[in-house]
Amino acid sequence: MQIIKIDDPQKKSEICEYVLRNLPLWFGIEPAIIGYINDVQTMSMWATYNNNSIVGFASINKHFPTSAEVHVMGILEKYHRQGMGQALLEVVEGDLRKEGIKFLTVKTLSESRPNKEYDQTRKFYLSMGFAPLEEFKSLWSEHNPCLFLAKSL
């Protein structure tokens, strides 16, 4: 496994599109996919590779000099539960600490809308030290309540 910071905006979009389109149970809303593909171009991105093949990525939105957000992250499903997401996030967090980032946040689907795949996502973030702070019932839509989590770096 290899984790690389990606600087080229076009490559960021290509990686994002490839991974998200291969995770339809997590990313199935076309306008959201297009939004992520465009958004990542201006954000920091790290990608995980296995034998030179893309496995996943994390894109970080730096809101303030001391805080950032996991804007979008995905690991191809066949690589879930193999430590690749954990390794990726640990590298991202280490780099962010070096930049002076003190807090990292993430938004995901709230448990108030039952979903097997997002149960796994929430468990992942909780295992990485994130804590739930607030539920926003209408940030995305009333059918997609948002759970806001954060951790101190």
Side-chain angles (χ1 to χ4, degrees), residues 18-50:
Y18 174 76
V19 172
L20 298 189
R21 292 203 184 279
N22 281 284
L23 290 169
L25 297 175
W26 285 265
F27 298 95
I29 301 170
E30 184 65 17
I33 293 171
I34 298 299
Y36 286 130
I37 291 167
N38 292 325
D39 291 347
V40 299
Q41 290 184 1
T42 60
M43 296 179 188
S44 298
M45 178 188 276
W46 290 257
T48 303
Y49 293 86
N50 186 34

Side-chain angles (χ1 to χ4, degrees), residues 55-101:
V55 168
F57 75 98
S59 184
I60 304 298
N61 189 2
K62 296 174 188 164
H63 294 293
F64 297 100
T66 58
S67 66
E69 172 186 15
V70 178
H71 182 70
V72 61
M73 178 176 174
I75 301 290
L76 297 177
E77 191 171 7
K78 73 179 187 174
Y79 294 101
H80 285 187
R81 305 202 52 80
Q82 295 180 30
M84 296 198 178
Q86 178 181 345
L88 174 61
L89 200 51
E90 286 172 353
V91 167
V92 168
E93 290 174 1
D95 287 354
L96 292 174
R97 272 188 213 95
K98 290 175 190 170
E99 293 179 31
I101 301 292

